[in-house]
């Protein structure tokens, strides 16, 4: 599996992000859906990666710089054809290492509270993420859970 810095211009990535935002819109009311579309992912504070194998897109993930050595995981998605193959774990490892290289002290995320998000919450917990209060501009929401991980930056 190759994880690449991605400029969000490829059709495969556009389709995966579209599937991601549409799926999340089906699971949560609009005010509780925090997925970013392609335009919002192209902001300077966001770095986006895609995972590939033999020319096939496996998944993606992004890191948003919130300032003050704090990063947010965004747009974690595995292609439906590649679920339960370790794709999300590898992308999360990559993002976590990148956050450490950048000197971040904390990495946080928002995910859904519903049953459909249980595999994601288990993955994050396996990395040491702990449940926390809303961060950045988030507010308490019954459809959201918030998790955070304290980091030791690379020297």
């Amino acid at each position: 599996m190759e994880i690449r810095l991605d400029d969000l211009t490829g059709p495969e990535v556009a389709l995966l992000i579209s599937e991601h935002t549409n799926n999340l819109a089906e699971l949560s009311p609009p005010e509780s859906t925090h997925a970013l579309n392609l335009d919002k992912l192209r902001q300077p504070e966001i770095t986006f990666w895609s995972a590939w194998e033999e020319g096939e897109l496996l998944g993606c993930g992004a890191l948003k710089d919130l300032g003050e050595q704090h990063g947010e995981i965004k747009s974690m998605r595995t292609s439906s054809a590649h679920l339960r193959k370790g794709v999300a774990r590898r992308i999360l490892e990559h993002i976590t290492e990148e956050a450490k290289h950048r000197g971040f002290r904390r990495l946080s995320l928002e995910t859904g509270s519903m049953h459909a998000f249980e595999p994601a919450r288990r993955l994050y917990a396996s990395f040491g993420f702990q449940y926390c209060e809303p961060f950045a501009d988030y507010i308490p929401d019954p459809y959201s859970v918030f998790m955070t991980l304290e980091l030791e930056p690379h020297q």
Side-chain angles (χ1 to χ4, degrees):
M1 180 184 319
E2 178 190 359
I3 298 177
R4 306 176 191 160
L5 192 59
D6 198 296
D7 64 4
L8 297 152
T9 59
E12 301 94 340
V13 170
L15 181 60
L16 186 60
I17 294 300
S18 178
E19 289 174 5
H20 181 60
T21 56
N22 290 339
N23 178 243
L24 295 178
E26 292 170 3
L27 295 170
S28 304
E31 67 275 8
S32 298
T33 302
H34 305 287
L36 302 177
N37 63 26
L38 283 175
D39 287 337
K40 291 182 179 175
L41 284 168
R42 289 186 180 115
Q43 302 306 310
E45 66 274 10
I46 296 176
T47 306
F48 185 89
W49 293 274
S50 54
W52 299 82
E53 193 168 77
E54 297 179 12
E56 191 171 353
L57 178 62
L58 306 180
C60 62
L63 175 60
K64 180 177 182 180
D65 187 339
L66 299 174
E68 299 182 17
Q69 298 177 304
H70 188 190
E72 179 182 5
I73 294 173
K74 298 295 293 181
S75 301
M76 285 285 295
R77 184 69 173 199
T78 301
S79 168
S80 57
H82 297 284
L83 295 173
R84 288 174 284 291
K85 295 180 181 178
V87 175
R89 179 167 294 282
R90 287 272 289 114
I91 293 170
L92 186 55
E93 286 170 354
H94 183 85
I95 292 172
T96 302
E97 283 303 307
E98 180 64 25
K100 290 176 183 179
H101 282 296
R102 293 183 185 188
F104 289 5
R105 297 297 225 167
R106 188 165 72 141
L107 198 51
S108 301
L109 61 94
E110 178 276 337
T111 192
S113 62
M114 295 78 72
H115 179 72
F117 295 93
E118 180 60 31
R121 293 191 303 268
R122 277 197 315 268
L123 172 66
Y124 298 131
S126 76
F127 272 71
F129 281 84
Q130 307 274 324
Y131 291 96
C132 65
E133 294 299 313
F135 60 93
D137 295 331
Y138 292 105
I139 59 171
D141 183 332
Y143 293 95
S144 292
V145 295
F146 305 94
M147 301 179 81
T148 195
L149 176 68
E150 299 296 323
L151 300 174
E152 283 296 321
H154 289 300
Q155 299 300 328

